[in-house]
Amino acid sequence: MNKERTEGEGLVYITMPMCDRTVNHETSGEFIIPDYQPELRRLLSVREKVLPPAKYVSGKGVECNGTVDYTILYVGADGGIYSMSVSSEYEFGIPLDNISDFELSEGSSVLLRTECEGISARVTSPRKISIKSRLLSHVRAYGRMRLDDGCADTEGMQRLQGQTENSEIYATGSDVIDVETEINGMGDDVRVVCADANVFIKNVRISDSAIIAEGDVNLCMLICREDGELRPIHKKIGFEGEADKSQWADGGRCRVMGTVTDVTVNIEEGRIICNISLVLDALTVCDRTVKYTADAYSTDRECECDTATFAIPENLVCLNGNFSQSERMPVVDSNIPEGARIIDSHGSVTFKDCESADGKYIFTGTVKYYVLYEKEGEYGVCELELPVKYALEGASSNKYAFDALGDIIDCRVRTEGDTLAIDSEISVCADIFREDSADIVREIRQGDPLEKGRSRMVVYFPTEGEGQWDVAKKYRVPVENLTAEKNYYVL
């Protein structure tokens, strides 16, 4: 959908990048196992989840702060498996480029993706764990710049109009969405070891007042009975939620990422009652054609133009999708002991790169699987890191920016003889922006009146690359005064 957006008489705005940066930072903390849980005998795994950060745009730049949630799985002093959920906070700030050119009160959007590059965990005492995480944040900020060359349409002013495709960008969020479910027939001898969930967005639509996302919350629990038997439970719960919508977002394309922020479980009369909280982050893009002043001169006065080159973002991809991944490997290469029984598995996805080739956009990265197993009463967790690839149809582009967030919807790891089989369903939330350059006149300054000579006819033979505008500007005459012949101009 193309549309011309103006605000007030003669005011035209264009969306441009304010920054595109990568920030390395860390977060750390010491965490105490509560007294009602057994002491730690052996640490099995620490899994992280980076929650969507808060973002604030000001005259100084972008301020970001967020939380990393950890699920600590360990073997207790009594030989059973237990977990603990803890959190660590982080914050950072980045300056914005040419911030004075943008109107920050409305129309600025920050696209932020933070991923965990690595975790180090150390047990300092039977009830104390120290965790440090290395984080990598990719920040892209877009703002609205007014296209105003500062010069009125005075007599004799000639302007060359340029035109470009531009995407307006709106990043919005939602209030907390609560989803409830219960699992019956559990009996009275059940203990929930750990519980987590993720969000799979199946459908996104834009209504008059909101962005509506439909999908499933995938609940994953590990329970333990009094006899020590461990059993995974997986359940899908349908949901519908709303994210905020910009007043200008009609007719656009939208993608939505859902993140579970909290899972609480209670056991009542043989039932496990689960309360799940989640938030939605939406990105909406609207295509439009923007006209701007590419060059100018005056037929009556001295005239100077200040021109700058800008990167103009145009959205190519904005979608939610999913795909399957199947891997096979020898069990001996997985570090899972021979004869071990696989109890449960989880995973996480990180897309690192995107390339354009043969009419496709190809996202590449890694998927990390955590496999809980048991052998002869001893528990262990195996971490497997494998490559992942996701391809989309699309035209080739040389210069572009991208974001791609992935999550494991469903994961099944099992042994088939001497082979370890891994089958998973992966959700993707992706956007790609192409950036074309445009030379835009930012200011026109007029000086003293030109001295007018006597009238004359000029026959001009242009050099290679010279057009009608170039000749008219050179002789300070209106373009309409030129007569174009086969290989020369008459003015």
Side-chain angles (χ1 to χ4, degrees), residues 344-363:
D344 199 9
S345 58
H346 299 275
S348 62
V349 182
T350 302
F351 289 103
K352 296 282 190 180
D353 200 6
C354 177
E355 63 178 10
S356 175
D358 301 325
K360 293 180 181 294
Y361 298 112
I362 302 172
F363 297 94

Side-chain angles (χ1 to χ4, degrees), residues 38-250:
E39 292 183 347
L40 186 150
R41 190 182 80 186
R42 184 160 54 90
L43 182 64
L44 293 177
S45 67
V46 178
R47 291 191 294 118
E48 84 287 348
K49 178 189 290 185
V50 182
L51 301 185
K55 299 156 289 189
Y56 308 94
V57 180
S58 68
K60 297 180 180 179
V62 179
E63 300 295 327
C64 307
N65 60 76
T67 302
V68 181
D69 283 353
Y70 302 104
T71 300
I72 301 168
L73 193 67
Y74 71 95
V75 177
D78 61 356
I81 285 189
Y82 297 86
S83 74
M84 179 174 68
S85 298
V86 296
S87 301
S88 181
E89 296 181 350
Y90 67 89
E91 62 180 8
F92 64 91
I94 56 172
L96 295 178
D97 301 330
N98 303 318
I99 195 169
S100 59
D101 292 337
F102 296 90
E103 296 204 356
L104 300 180
S105 59
E106 181 189 350
S108 59
S109 293
V110 179
L111 309 185
L112 173 57
R113 169 169 51 95
T114 299
E115 56 199 42
C116 186
E117 291 277 279
I119 293 178
S120 61
R122 186 167 58 94
V123 179
T124 57
S125 76
R127 288 199 175 275
K128 186 181 293 186
I129 303 172
S130 176
I131 301 176
K132 178 183 287 187
S133 297
R134 291 181 290 107
L135 304 176
L136 183 67
S137 293
H138 305 267
V139 184
R140 282 188 288 142
Y142 296 91
R144 293 170 58 233
M145 187 177 76
R146 191 172 75 178
L147 295 181
D148 181 7
D149 56 33
C151 182
D153 287 325
T154 56
E155 184 177 353
M157 179 56 61
Q158 308 290 309
R159 285 180 171 85
L160 177 65
Q161 189 178 75
Q163 180 173 296
T164 184
E165 298 303 310
N166 183 225
S167 294
E168 292 184 332
I169 302 166
Y170 305 102
T172 57
S174 73
D175 295 331
V176 175
I177 300 167
D178 293 317
V179 178
E180 296 183 0
T181 189
E182 63 179 52
I183 300 168
N184 298 310
M186 290 291 100
D188 298 326
D189 62 340
V190 169
R191 173 174 62 86
V192 176
V193 176
C194 58
D196 199 2
N198 55 34
V199 180
F200 174 37
I201 303 296
K202 292 182 175 180
N203 183 49
V204 177
R205 68 182 189 275
I206 302 176
S207 71
D208 292 338
S209 58
I211 298 167
I212 302 173
E214 300 172 342
D216 291 329
V217 176
N218 301 298
L219 175 65
C220 306
M221 284 194 301
L222 183 64
I223 65 171
C224 180
R225 297 194 179 276
E226 285 185 357
D227 59 5
E229 177 195 2
L230 290 174
R231 174 188 164 192
I233 294 177
H234 299 268
K235 184 176 182 180
K236 292 184 178 181
I237 309 107
F239 85 98
E240 180 177 290
E242 295 184 356
D244 296 334
K245 173 198 163 189
S246 169
Q247 62 175 329
W248 291 94
D250 290 326

Side-chain angles (χ1 to χ4, degrees), residues 342-401:
I342 294 177
I343 300 171
D344 199 9
S345 58
H346 299 275
S348 62
V349 182
T350 302
F351 289 103
K352 296 282 190 180
D353 200 6
C354 177
E355 63 178 10
S356 175
D358 301 325
K360 293 180 181 294
Y361 298 112
I362 302 172
F363 297 94
T364 55
T366 58
V367 56
K368 184 180 290 186
Y369 295 101
Y370 299 85
V371 183
L372 174 65
Y373 62 85
E374 178 270 334
K375 183 178 181 181
E376 298 176 354
E378 291 293 326
Y379 299 102
V381 171
C382 173
E383 295 185 15
L384 302 173
E385 189 169 297
L386 301 173
V388 67
K389 181 170 69 174
Y390 178 59
L392 291 171
E393 297 291 335
S396 297
S397 178
N398 293 327
K399 186 177 181 181
Y400 54 88

Side-chain angles (χ1 to χ4, degrees), residues 265-282:
V265 295
N266 293 288
I267 300 175
E268 297 180 4
E269 300 177 350
R271 299 175 301 150
I272 301 177
I273 301 172
C274 304
N275 295 278
I276 304 165
S277 299
L278 64 97
V279 293
L280 302 176
D281 285 287

